[in-house]
Amino acid sequence: MLDICDIVFVDIQALIRVFDSIDGTVMLVDLRETEFYRLLPRIRFLKASTDEAPYVDVEEVRKCCCLVVTNGKEGCMLYEKDKAQQVAPFPTIEVDPTGAGDSFLGGLVEGLGVPEAALLGNLFGSLTVGVIGLPKFDLKLLQRVKDEVQQMRLRCARCPECQNGELMFMKSIDHEQFHNVLGAAAKLTSTHPTQECQWDLPRSPTAEQSIHSQCSGQQKSILSSFYEEVIKSPDDILGQN
């Protein structure tokens, strides 16, 4: 993956988890004790939870790549070289943490600055822990978020760093506004089950358009049509590169 991808984003749990050979108990080991430590300079982003962070030498890792530490209701912290940024959370009542990390990673969007992408990750992480089992997102919520993300991508594209092909680590001047509009979008979340759909989202810049779709079945963490243009999981990004 390192050889064929421009950017690699790694969840640390795959690197530091080991299994007891006798009873299969899951244990965590220090990252420096693994064969992956030497690869850090080739990794662009490394994600860890606050429970996993003690097994990472933050001061050393941040010299090699951007370290993202998720911290539940506190949001997340970004570390890179001599910079550190806290990215605000979205209020929620946690009932089931299962899948929160996956939803966070799934919320990262190509074309946004790093803090803005982390905001979107926080949003989907908060929506995920607020329900038991797989989260089911209302189509109106997804459309609203998609519209806001497209607007933010356009603003980020005008920044000098993006025009030079660099990733923006510092918060944009629209960061707080983006947080507010995402928070407003989250209030659109419906309590009825979301159905898996084959649909075409309208491309109007407004966030309040109606969505007509043909739906069947039931699932899932993020609708595939929403992924198609905006939300890209690490697997999607790797596949394109």
Side-chain angles (χ1 to χ4, degrees):
M1 287 189 292
L2 292 172
D3 290 336
I4 65 175
C5 300
D6 295 328
I7 296 176
V8 176
F9 197 129
V10 178
D11 191 325
I12 200 173
Q13 65 178 259
L15 310 185
I16 63 174
R17 283 185 179 180
V18 296
F19 299 89
D20 187 275
S21 60
I22 298 177
D23 60 11
T25 302
V26 178
M27 300 176 292
L28 300 180
V29 298
D30 194 291
L31 180 61
R32 287 172 295 188
E33 300 175 8
T34 72
E35 59 184 307
F36 300 105
Y37 187 75
R38 62 183 176 84
L39 299 176
L40 286 182
R42 300 181 63 189
I43 293 173
R44 189 63 183 87
F45 296 95
L46 183 67
K47 175 210 167 273
S49 68
T50 51
D51 292 333
E52 297 161 337
Y55 298 89
V56 180
D57 188 333
V58 174
E59 294 306 314
E60 287 300 316
V61 170
R62 69 194 294 181
K63 297 175 184 177
C64 303
C65 63
C66 179
L67 176 63
V68 182
V69 179
T70 56
N71 190 20
K73 64 180 181 179
E74 302 299 325
C76 66
M77 286 292 299
L78 308 176
Y79 300 94
E80 185 176 49
K81 295 183 173 61
D82 60 343
K83 305 182 185 73
Q85 297 262 7
Q86 181 170 11
V87 180
F90 293 87
T92 189
I93 298 176
E94 180 179 319
V95 296
D96 182 3
T98 304
D102 293 332
S103 290
F104 177 89
L105 292 176
L108 300 178
V109 176
E110 185 179 37
L112 293 182
V114 176
E116 286 69 51
L119 261 184
L120 199 61
N122 284 349
L123 172 67
F124 282 103
S126 70
L127 294 175
T128 299
V129 302
V131 297
I132 297 176
L134 293 176
K136 303 172 179 65
F137 300 143
D138 183 73
L139 302 187
K140 189 175 182 181
L141 165 68
L142 297 182
Q143 179 62 50
R144 174 70 180 275
V145 173
K146 177 181 178 179
D147 290 338
E148 299 298 347
V149 167
Q150 288 176 331
Q151 295 287 336
M152 193 64 195
R153 289 173 74 182
L154 291 174
R155 292 194 290 270
C156 288
R158 302 188 189 104
C159 296
E161 293 89 345
C162 282
Q163 293 174 359
N164 294 330
E166 301 175 10
L167 292 172
M168 294 186 300
F169 184 78
M170 302 304 293
K171 294 178 180 177
S172 76
I173 59 174
D174 298 306
H175 183 87
E176 294 303 323
Q177 177 186 354
F178 191 49
H179 180 271
N180 291 337
V181 297
L182 289 179
K187 295 179 181 179
L188 296 174
T189 303
S190 174
T191 57
H192 64 73
T194 300
Q195 295 177 313
E196 185 178 3
C197 307
Q198 299 296 324
W199 56 325
D200 292 318
L201 286 175
R203 296 180 179 275
S204 168
T206 62
E208 300 298 333
Q209 293 188 3
S210 62
I211 301 171
H212 301 285
S213 55
Q214 297 297 322
C215 305
S216 63
Q218 180 176 325
Q219 247 180 325
K220 119 181 185 179
S221 57
I222 303 288
L223 296 181
S224 59
S225 295
F226 192 56
Y227 270 113
E228 185 175 335
E229 290 189 26
V230 182
I231 302 296
K232 297 191 177 183
S233 71
D235 289 339
D236 295 326
I237 296 174
L238 294 181
Q240 290 188 4
N241 290 323

